[in-house]
Amino acid sequence: MYTVLIVEDNEKNLKVIRDLMRLQGYRTLEARDGQAGLAMAQVQHPDLILMDVQLPLIDGYEVTRRLKTEEHTRHIPVIAVTSFAMKGEEERARTAGCDAYISKPINIHTLIDTVRQYLPGGESSHDQGTGVTGG
Ligand code: MN
């Protein structure tokens, strides 16, 4: 069973994502700020992280940067969940080391497909064009 860590400070978003992940058969872990998310990733080694960008204490990009500089966590795929489909957001996500990003409001099919793509054994090597590549 795959374990997905959801780092999200908005309870409503957290519930939506949690329910979707569980429906897919994944085990879920949760953190509500960047510091807790960083610690949980380091201890639990989830198979994938869904990372809200705007978080208390440490923002999602900084958490990703730290995870990607550590040998024990750099392999974990991080999908950034950005608040706006803003120009430049993809570049920011890539620079931080995120493997992919999706925009709010969350499209259910995009979320499920992107998670599936980046889980171990997924299809990320085929590059479906939805993710951030080259990083
Ligand atoms: Mn947030």
Side-chain angles (χ1 to χ4, degrees):
M1 183 187 284
Y2 291 124
T3 300
V4 175
L5 168 59
I6 306 162
V7 189
E8 171 63 78
D9 62 318
N10 179 291
E11 288 295 332
K12 195 175 159 188
N13 288 339
L14 179 59
K15 178 176 169 28
V16 169
I17 297 171
R18 176 206 299 136
D19 289 351
L20 273 172
M21 292 299 100
R22 289 186 179 171
L23 276 171
Q24 296 301 303
Y26 307 142
R27 175 174 169 250
T28 57
L29 299 169
E30 298 164 11
R32 289 168 175 76
D33 65 65
Q35 206 164 61
L38 180 62
M40 191 163 282
Q42 290 167 331
V43 172
Q44 301 282 343
H45 292 108
D47 294 296
L48 183 144
I49 301 172
L50 283 168
M51 183 77 72
D52 180 30
V53 170
Q54 293 178 291
L55 291 167
L57 303 182
I58 310 173
D59 75 54
Y61 288 143
E62 180 58 27
V63 174
T64 302
R65 262 179 225 111
R66 296 189 193 184
L67 290 173
K68 292 297 183 180
T69 59
E70 291 179 25
E71 191 180 343
H72 295 291
T73 53
R74 71 192 329 158
H75 67 282
I76 304 172
V78 177
I79 301 173
V81 182
T82 65
S83 297
F84 312 98
M86 282 170 56
K87 197 173 181 186
E89 210 58 36
E90 179 174 357
E91 179 61 28
R92 290 190 68 197
R94 181 192 291 119
T95 302
C98 298
D99 297 87
Y101 84 102
I102 59 176
S103 304
K104 295 178 186 173
I106 292 166
N107 177 289
I108 290 172
H109 298 291
T110 301
L111 175 62
I112 290 172
D113 287 350
T114 307
V115 168
R116 192 175 292 157
Q117 190 180 341
Y118 283 90
L119 279 169
E123 299 176 357
S124 60
S125 61
H126 298 305
D127 185 17
Q128 303 293 306
T130 56
V132 179
T133 57

